[in-house]
Amino acid sequence: MPDTLNLPYTRLLDPQGRPVAELPAWATDPELLLRLYRQMVLTRLFDQKAVALQRTGRIGTYAPTLGQEAIGVAIGALMQREDVLVPYYRDTAVQVMRGVRMEEILLYWGGDERGSAYVDAAVAEDFPLCVPIATQALHACGVASAFKIRGQHRVAVTTCGDGATSKGDFLEALNVAGAWQLPVVFVVNNNQWAISVPRRIQCGAPTLAQKAIGAGFAGEQVDGNDVLALYARMQAALERARHGKGPVLLECLSYRLGDHTTADDATRYRSSEEVKQAWQEEPIKRLQAFMASQGLWDEGREQALIAECQAQVQQAVEAFEAVTEPPAEAALEYVYAQWPAALAEQREMLRERAERRREASHE
Amino acid sequence: MSEKKASLLEAINLALHRAMYEDENVVALGEDIGVNGGVFRATAGLREAFGIKRVIDTPLAETMIAGLAVGMAAQGLKPVMEIQFLGFIYAAMEHLVSHASRMRNRTRGRLGCSMVLRSPMGAGIRAPEHHSESTEALFAHIPGLRVVIPSSPARAYGLLLAAIDDPDPVIFLEPTRLYRMNPQELHDDGKRLPLDSCFTLREGRDLTLISWGASIHECQQAAEHLAERGVSVELIDVACIKPLDLDTLEASVRKTGRCVIVHEAPKSCGVGAEIAASLYERALLDLQAPIQRVTAPDIPPPLYRLEGLYIPGVDDIVAACAAVLDYA
Ligand SMILES: Cc1ncc(C[n+]2csc(CCOP(=O)(O)OP(=O)(O)O)c2C)c(N)n1
Ligand SMILES: [Mg+2]
């Protein structure tokens, strides 16, 4: 179906890293470029490690960010500390930039609730990652409503996938955001697949961005593998929302280069040619080529950066592995603000059960 | 008629194939059920066998899945919908509670809702958050729904076929922990099992052990254990938890005088409470000890490091049985 709405689509760099439009001044700022590049590389190395940890049974199922690093990094680079992130589950890149520790991410996927406790004060108000698809979009609207009621110039940023845009929650969130002109930015990570369901059978509209039009606010598409384009459009969206000019929907066109999660086998439903093709467009090589063309990058710097990021990941793995098993009490500690006295018997039951398990393991 | 060993998962797959083969009104819908054959492979091969018109990958939306089923069923199709995990069924609730379960009643029998909503349930497979729910009681509370939970390949096969035949909506919950455990001889003969009677898995004199779903596995081990100590346990798989076959449960408890109920769901307002209350109503004077429940505590299923404390273990069941047996 043709895109008769002619929504904006932004790309600044082509897949070879060559500028295809006039670049904003910041786009040649070495410090910024290095920061964006570094975070993408860090995310990818962390991802590789997490998948390896899953394969050896040290964590459970993990959802890799592979291929979508640029989207999260652009968001993370631009959100203000006082903004609130309401993420989905493929958000390692942005969460780490916000202040979530990599060992916390490993703890979460490693089956330990303490991974969502987030010790860094910078993320005290950020939401934990969200597995029930699209539900988080409404929470972001609630957060944004609170900002609006209190007259604060803060923005709620929420992420989701392409499949998530089919859910009522997502559409209800767009509707209320438009009706109330909420300071919220919806970032759709369109990685072309919702597990095995391709984008084209998920929705009959030519773009996902146009769902915002029906809700009465701006929707646009961005090249989700072009971190500079993402940076430009995310900056504009945050600015707009922060100044009371209403919500924005950014549909970021990317590709899920990995399996849906470590529990999935994507070869069952998509061709290796398609994946090979998508690798041509991936975000890290693209920025690297651009930086090299600016004389900002070479093999030596690449190797040094990889070593540095790998050390950082390794440190996180060590911190993760140093965490001792959660005590039985942890299962009920936070279910209520205070475990109700009326349920004291259940606490006792849990304690006895833990005791029995301990005895059994010593037998 | 083929005979071979099948896991619970394969039994579901065989039953789906047979139901679609026998009745062209049967259609299968859900997220990732077509090309991918379901995230657990329960629907593998259906699309190849019955085509894309009858085996449909839906957009990602559970409210939509349940609502579509109501409309399709009103048209005389027999939709078999898959909800990818029980933790994602809650968006479907409005259609289940306000429509699927009531269509026949609201239209004085003019329109029915013959549909099956299948979903994997339960903890114990180191799954991520929201993938380990046992919320069968939520559905059992709704008049007009049937709730079925198989615990063996043969029961999964026969009960799923019966559920698809049934003129009313059936919530069919499949314990993921049992999906690939102990494949058993299965006759793909199309035989239905009744949707309104329990299955007595083991006859005994001293104590009635009542359970369903994945916990049947631990109950069987507990019964073995107790047998070694000379205790004769009668083990009953409720299987169809709504409506409940109370006659079978009552008869057993009258015989043994002692009863333990085991379920993986949290204790408060669980199906165990319904069973215990009914048994007290019917057989109080035949009970020689208070009924005990072995359940999860009233907490959300913990992430997997602590899920072993959530799931009733063999030791917990044996301890509860011992307490009931020792009761003066
Ligand atoms: C309400 C709900 N239904 C189903 C699922 C199972 N599930 C997990 S991820 C997923 C696909 C999501 O695809 P998309 O929104 O495109 O995000 P992606 O994973 O591709 O980033 C599904 C169906 C879920 N987590 N929540
Ligand atoms: Mg996707």
Side-chain angles (χ1 to χ4, degrees):
Chain A
M1 194 196 275
D3 177 8
T4 48
L5 289 169
N6 278 321
L7 293 185
Y9 169 80
T10 307
R11 165 184 273 185
L12 297 179
L13 297 180
D14 73 4
Q16 285 72 44
R18 295 175 302 225
V20 291
E22 199 179 327
L23 296 182
W26 50 256
T28 47
D29 169 5
E31 213 172 298
L32 176 65
L33 293 177
L34 180 59
R35 176 160 181 246
L36 299 175
Y37 186 73
R38 184 184 194 287
Q39 286 302 134
M40 290 201 285
V41 169
L42 179 66
T43 304
R44 187 162 295 182
L45 291 173
F46 174 81
D47 245 31
Q48 282 168 1
K49 191 70 198 180
V51 171
L53 290 173
Q54 189 280 332
R55 300 286 183 233
T56 52
R58 286 186 288 170
I59 65 170
T61 303
Y62 177 74
T65 309
L66 187 61
Q68 295 164 236
E69 295 88 350
I71 304 168
V73 166
I75 302 170
L78 284 157
M79 281 179 74
Q80 305 281 310
R81 182 179 164 129
E82 68 270 19
D83 296 338
V84 168
L85 177 71
V86 189
Y88 79 135
Y89 48 78
R90 206 184 292 288
D91 268 325
T92 298
V94 56
Q95 284 201 304
V96 168
M97 287 182 86
R98 292 285 294 162
V100 174
R101 306 215 166 137
M102 288 187 286
E103 56 266 35
E104 291 177 317
I105 295 173
L106 292 174
L107 268 178
Y108 175 82
W109 295 106
D112 190 330
E113 258 94 13
R114 288 173 294 185
S116 296
Y118 303 161
V119 297
D120 193 326
V123 283
E125 293 179 49
D126 280 5
F127 273 50
L129 56 75
C130 181
V131 172
I133 304 284
T135 49
Q136 74 278 13
L138 282 162
H139 307 158
C141 292
V143 168
S145 300
F147 296 160
K148 192 161 171 142
I149 287 166
R150 294 183 176 140
Q152 297 170 330
H153 296 286
R154 302 167 73 189
V155 182
V157 176
T158 187
T159 55
C160 68
D162 43 303
T165 66
S166 297
K167 254 192 118 215
D169 308 61
F170 181 77
L171 298 163
E172 291 172 40
L174 295 188
N175 185 68
V176 72
W180 293 354
Q181 290 295 295
L182 295 174
V184 57
V185 176
F186 299 94
V187 179
V188 176
N189 287 251
N190 178 355
N191 60 12
Q192 312 302 333
W193 291 91
I195 310 185
S196 72
V197 178
R199 160 63 185 88
R200 72 171 186 287
I201 66 168
Q202 189 67 242
C203 167
T207 73
L208 300 175
Q210 72 197 74
K211 297 195 182 203
I213 308 303
F217 63 90
E220 57 177 288
Q221 292 188 307
V222 195
D223 184 336
N225 297 327
D226 175 358
V227 74
L228 298 187
L230 288 160
Y231 191 91
R233 299 317 303 157
M234 189 67 202
Q235 192 170 45
L238 282 167
E239 178 91 357
R240 182 187 158 100
R242 196 178 311 284
H243 293 102
K245 297 194 180 125
V248 179
L249 190 167
L250 292 184
E251 179 190 358
C252 309
L253 299 165
S254 181
Y255 192 88
R256 197 195 77 212
L257 291 171
D259 291 331
H260 169 69
T261 65
T262 49
D264 175 49
D265 174 7
T267 60
R268 283 213 298 251
Y269 52 78
R270 65 184 190 185
S271 71
S272 56
E273 289 77 59
E274 180 185 307
V275 181
K276 218 165 104 192
Q277 188 56 37
W279 269 102
Q280 304 300 312
E281 310 239 334
E282 67 93 11
I284 295 185
K285 275 274 167 312
R286 189 180 306 202
L287 184 61
Q288 189 194 68
F290 175 67
M291 288 165 69
S293 74
Q294 300 285 301
L296 296 172
W297 208 243
D298 55 41
E299 192 50 33
R301 280 185 265 200
E302 174 76 8
Q303 290 313 321
L305 178 73
I306 288 178
E308 185 195 317
C309 290
Q310 235 144 17
Q312 200 179 334
V313 170
Q314 190 49 36
Q315 221 173 19
V317 173
E318 279 160 25
F320 159 70
E321 293 195 319
V323 176
T324 52
E325 287 295 304
E329 273 286 300
L332 50 71
E333 216 178 346
Y334 290 103
V335 176
Y336 295 93
Q338 208 158 45
W339 187 251
L343 292 176
E345 232 175 61
Q346 295 214 4
R347 166 174 249 154
E348 185 54 22
M349 184 256 273
L350 190 74
R351 206 192 49 73
E352 281 172 12
R353 196 173 277 189
E355 188 55 38
R356 261 184 236 117
R357 300 284 188 280
R358 245 194 312 279
E359 279 166 15
S361 70
H362 289 155
E363 262 164 25
Chain B
M1 196 191 300
S2 58
E3 261 175 61
K4 65 171 187 104
K5 285 207 164 187
S7 64
L8 194 149
L9 191 60
E10 288 161 338
I12 302 270
N13 186 259
L14 284 172
L16 289 170
H17 271 93
R18 179 165 285 268
M20 295 198 77
Y21 174 76
E22 285 180 357
D23 181 353
E24 64 179 18
N25 284 315
V26 177
V27 291
L29 291 94
E31 297 158 8
D32 306 288
I33 67 153
V35 179
N36 198 31
V39 293
F40 285 102
R41 318 287 295 133
T43 55
L46 286 181
R47 194 183 181 94
E48 292 78 357
F50 303 104
I52 57 171
K53 277 201 173 159
R54 293 177 65 199
V55 183
I56 305 170
D57 275 321
T58 66
L60 201 175
E62 286 72 15
T63 309
M64 176 208 70
I65 289 176
L68 282 175
V70 172
M72 288 178 158
Q75 276 294 307
L77 290 178
K78 284 177 169 279
V80 180
M81 318 300 267
E82 179 175 303
I83 297 287
Q84 205 162 82
F85 284 89
L86 191 54
F88 307 135
I89 205 173
Y90 308 120
M93 273 300 195
E94 182 159 38
H95 295 281
L96 296 177
V97 178
S98 301
H99 298 292
S101 64
R102 300 184 197 199
M103 188 59 88
R104 185 180 308 288
N105 186 54
R106 290 175 62 218
T107 61
R108 303 286 84 195
R110 186 169 54 81
L111 299 176
C113 198
S114 178
M115 61 175 268
V116 175
L117 215 154
R118 299 176 37 246
S119 186
M121 76 172 301
I125 57 164
R126 283 167 55 103
E129 206 177 1
H130 305 287
H131 289 67
S132 305
E133 311 274 294
S134 292
T135 45
E136 65 270 22
L138 296 182
F139 308 98
H141 194 63
I142 301 167
L145 293 185
R146 287 180 180 272
V147 183
V148 178
I149 307 178
S151 71
S152 76
R155 288 190 288 284
Y157 178 83
L159 290 170
L160 181 53
L161 283 171
I164 296 171
D165 283 351
D166 196 82
D168 293 311
V170 181
I171 308 297
F172 192 89
L173 306 178
E174 304 163 3
T176 54
R177 196 147 55 86
L178 302 185
Y179 261 162
R180 297 191 170 88
M181 202 184 264
N182 304 334
Q184 285 164 23
E185 206 96 311
L186 187 81
H187 308 267
D188 183 10
D189 54 8
K191 265 219 198 91
R192 276 65 172 161
L193 287 169
L195 289 183
D196 47 16
S197 57
C198 300
F199 297 87
T200 302
L201 302 185
R202 182 182 180 117
E203 293 190 7
R205 296 175 312 274
D206 301 332
L207 180 142
T208 302
L209 189 55
I210 299 172
S211 190
W212 54 91
S215 289
I216 288 291
H217 178 68
E218 282 75 25
C219 285
Q220 266 158 338
Q221 289 175 268
E224 289 290 332
H225 218 80
L226 288 160
E228 283 165 24
R229 296 196 210 161
V231 179
S232 159
V233 170
E234 181 140 305
L235 174 59
I236 302 181
D237 176 7
V238 175
C240 299
I241 67 163
K242 177 72 173 277
L244 269 173
D245 169 18
L246 287 168
D247 290 349
T248 301
L249 300 178
E250 176 191 345
S252 175
V253 168
R254 280 193 190 281
K255 177 175 72 175
T256 63
R258 297 173 200 268
C259 175
V260 171
I261 303 166
V262 182
H263 60 68
E264 192 175 302
K267 187 169 194 178
S268 299
C269 306
V271 175
E274 177 63 31
I275 294 173
S278 301
L279 291 173
Y280 283 127
E281 282 169 355
R282 290 174 169 225
L284 180 66
L285 298 181
D286 287 303
L287 281 166
Q288 289 161 43
I291 296 170
Q292 283 235 9
R293 286 176 282 162
V294 184
T295 69
D298 288 359
I299 59 174
L303 291 185
Y304 74 77
R305 291 211 197 187
L306 289 178
E307 73 179 345
L309 292 173
Y310 185 82
I311 302 169
V314 177
D315 290 355
D316 308 324
I317 299 166
V318 169
C321 291
V324 167
L325 289 161
D326 291 346
Y327 190 84

